[in-house]
Amino acid sequence: MRNPVLTCALVIVSVTAYGFGKPQHSKVSVQSTPKDGNLEFVFKIEPNSDMSVTFDAPWTLDIKNAEGLTLSKEKLKKSDLDQKLPGFKVSTTAAPKAKSGEVEYKLVSFICTKYKTRCYREVHKGKHNWAAK
């Protein structure tokens, strides 16, 4: 039989290390804007007031189910990160095939306390409705 204390400790470590559950230290805002016949998406992380972002870890953005859109990239890495936002910008490479739609995303960010005594891997999953003009 397994040790219940060890099992509980492993679950707690897994939740912290792998970011299961809802993000507690930041939120994500997503905007889509028509631009020169295409669409530009901005995925921006907004840390809680007592937290700050850290770029010392591998941020990622995965976009799925972008039907009707031809995106410049669907999988973005830390090298694609716009640190000034902080977040990611993604554009379509052709005009949208529909007037509106939805994209699904998973954004992994890293948030720390003000003095970086604790850091957290935050996994934001969601959907964004977009509309072309």
Side-chain angles (χ1 to χ4, degrees), residues 78-93:
K78 184 179 173 183
S79 59
D80 301 306
L81 180 65
D82 183 341
Q83 292 185 8
K84 291 178 186 175
L85 280 176
F88 295 94
K89 289 183 181 181
V90 181
S91 296
T92 59
T93 57

Side-chain angles (χ1 to χ4, degrees), residues 7-107:
T7 302
C8 183
L10 287 172
V11 168
I12 291 171
V13 169
S14 295
V15 167
T16 303
Y18 296 105
F20 300 131
K22 292 185 179 184
Q24 297 178 356
H25 308 288
S26 64
K27 64 181 181 176
V28 65
S29 67
V30 183
Q31 292 182 335
S32 52
T33 309
K35 188 175 183 180
D36 300 326
N38 294 329
L39 278 177
E40 180 180 71
F41 292 88
V42 176
F43 297 83
K44 181 180 177 181
I45 291 294
E46 299 172 357
N48 294 353
S49 60
D50 58 337
M51 306 298 278
S52 64
V53 297
T54 182
F55 303 112
D56 297 333
W59 288 48
T60 60
L61 172 64
D62 292 325
I63 300 174
K64 298 178 183 177
N65 301 326
E67 293 181 28
L69 299 175
T70 306
L71 297 170
S72 55
K73 283 187 168 184
E74 292 182 3
K75 293 188 180 285
L76 292 92
K77 301 176 186 176
K78 184 179 173 183
S79 59
D80 301 306
L81 180 65
D82 183 341
Q83 292 185 8
K84 291 178 186 175
L85 280 176
F88 295 94
K89 289 183 181 181
V90 181
S91 296
T92 59
T93 57
K97 296 176 184 173
K99 292 185 180 186
S100 63
E102 181 179 81
V103 295
E104 215 175 311
Y105 65 88
K106 176 180 158 187
L107 194 158

